[in-house]
Amino acid sequence: MSFDMEPWEADAACVGQDPDVFFTGSDEKAAVAVCASCPVRAECLALALRKGFEFGVFGGYTATQRKTMRRKKGASAYV
Ligand code: SF4
């Protein structure tokens, strides 16, 4: 898993937010609500699906939701 910064991350709606909300699953509804207005949501979701991030909320989707997406399409669809 890579945590290198992507160029679009500076525009993310979660910049300055409590990272625990996004990465620990402590409040998935709050994280998803922030993502809903994020201008780089599509890029974020694509990255999370491509990298197979197993935890947290990315692109407005929980880890469980992303796992289902990858299973339905096949992980190779996101490479
Ligand atoms: S979609 Fe959500 S997690 Fe991804 S960059 Fe935007 S606010 Fe952050």
Side-chain angles (χ1 to χ4, degrees), residues 27-64:
D27 192 348
E28 288 184 328
K29 284 185 179 179
V32 169
V34 172
C35 295
S37 64
C38 181
V40 295
R41 183 176 174 181
E43 292 87 341
C44 179
L45 177 59
L47 175 69
L49 290 171
R50 189 171 66 247
K51 298 282 189 177
F53 292 166
E54 296 180 357
F55 304 99
V57 171
F58 291 91
Y61 291 89
T62 66
T64 301

Side-chain angles (χ1 to χ4, degrees), residues 2 9 24 40 46 50 61 67 75:
S2 169
E9 287 185 45
T24 67
V40 295
R50 189 171 66 247
Y61 291 89
K67 186 176 180 182

